[in-house]
Amino acid sequence: MSAALTFATARRVLGQVRGDPRTLALVIVLPCLLLWLVAWMFEGTDVLDQFGPLLLGLFPLIVMFLVTSVATLRERTSGTLERLMASPIGRGDLIGGYALGFGLLAVVQGLVLTGVAVGLLGMEVAGPLWVVMLVAVLDAVLGSTLGLAASALARTEFQAVQLMPLFVFPQLITCGLLMPRDQMPAVLEAVSRVLPLTYGVDALQRLAAGEGFADVRGDVLVIAGFIVAAVVVGATTLHRRTP
């Protein structure tokens, strides 16, 4: 891998996103708007304080999965990746650049959303705010890397959108958001252990209850491991001749 080629790819990705106001609105504005709607709906209650930290992890993951999978597939189908792979750039440089570019976008998204939730909407977090921001950013990066890996399974942008229910919805059902995981059927509880969103929700639930970084350190490491694994999968599906 070449650091120069990796950073050049990341700059190209960020340049494309910067020139697309609709994508920027989807990544930055939409999650903030959804969180504001929740705060407005339950104004005068403690719902935002209880569930706001969870939404800080869910919204970025879903949005970044969608944006990254569609954008990467567009590059595959347009022939851009094929032209790049015909150049001296390696698979590691290309995937690393995509992961870095979309990862930086995910970091901005997570920081802005957390700032809006706490600074503008008045969400109170019992645990350390910086840890909440860390988990929110990691969930956003996770969504981006999962989208990067998922793009290899689709042939059209519409198919990339169709993959979102396959990748995201089972995680939403089994992550412990709708029902405590220890009350689930044993099979579903076992499945939840191998899905990354489980650890993001677990960490955010603990932080909302007042626990600290030491209590969620294991969850943070697992999420980071899933991010690395998704990048590796994305690299192994990239060949000199793309579909």
Side-chain angles (χ1 to χ4, degrees):
M1 288 183 62
S2 165
L5 293 175
T6 299
F7 285 123
T9 302
R11 284 195 300 269
R12 185 178 64 83
V13 170
L14 291 174
Q16 291 176 337
V17 173
R18 187 171 60 248
D20 187 353
R22 290 172 297 183
T23 299
L24 286 175
L26 179 64
V27 171
I28 305 299
V29 179
L30 180 60
C32 296
L33 179 61
L34 293 175
L35 198 61
W36 171 75
L37 287 175
V38 172
W40 187 24
M41 288 172 58
F42 297 98
E43 187 176 4
T45 70
D46 61 351
V47 169
L48 183 64
D49 296 336
Q50 291 181 353
F51 295 99
L54 303 182
L55 299 180
L56 291 182
L58 293 178
F59 289 162
L61 183 145
I62 294 172
V63 171
M64 288 308 302
F65 177 92
L66 181 62
V67 169
T68 305
S69 60
V70 171
T72 306
L73 184 66
R74 186 180 301 163
E75 300 244 297
R76 288 177 182 267
T77 56
S78 67
T80 301
L81 284 183
E82 219 173 87
R83 291 192 295 272
L84 289 172
M85 291 300 291
S87 70
I89 192 171
R91 289 191 304 178
D93 301 317
L94 199 57
I95 291 298
Y98 276 102
L100 179 60
F102 285 114
L104 289 174
L105 185 62
V107 169
V108 173
Q109 180 196 55
L111 294 177
V112 170
L113 184 59
T114 304
V116 168
V118 177
L120 295 182
L121 302 180
M123 185 185 76
E124 296 183 1
V125 181
L129 179 60
W130 73 271
V131 185
V132 174
M133 296 179 69
L134 173 63
V135 177
V137 166
L138 284 175
D139 280 349
V141 175
L142 174 65
S144 182
T145 54
L146 288 176
L148 192 64
S151 67
L153 301 178
R155 294 295 179 267
T156 66
E157 294 178 24
F158 181 65
Q159 289 180 358
V161 174
Q162 289 178 314
L163 285 173
M164 189 178 72
L166 176 64
F167 273 75
V168 176
F169 288 179
Q171 298 192 65
L172 289 175
I173 293 173
T174 60
C175 68
L177 183 64
L178 303 178
M179 174 188 292
R181 292 172 51 239
D182 57 6
Q183 297 180 19
M184 293 179 182
V187 174
L188 291 181
E189 198 277 335
V191 169
S192 72
R193 292 178 181 271
V194 298
L195 298 178
L197 187 57
T198 297
Y199 301 92
V201 169
D202 182 67
L204 291 168
Q205 285 177 330
R206 292 187 176 194
L207 293 168
E211 297 187 21
F213 177 73
D215 302 297
V216 302
R217 180 171 50 195
D219 289 327
V220 169
L221 291 175
V222 172
I223 297 170
F226 274 107
I227 290 173
V228 173
V231 172
V232 172
V233 170
T236 57
T237 62
L238 189 63
H239 305 287
R240 284 292 169 183
R241 297 191 61 84
T242 57

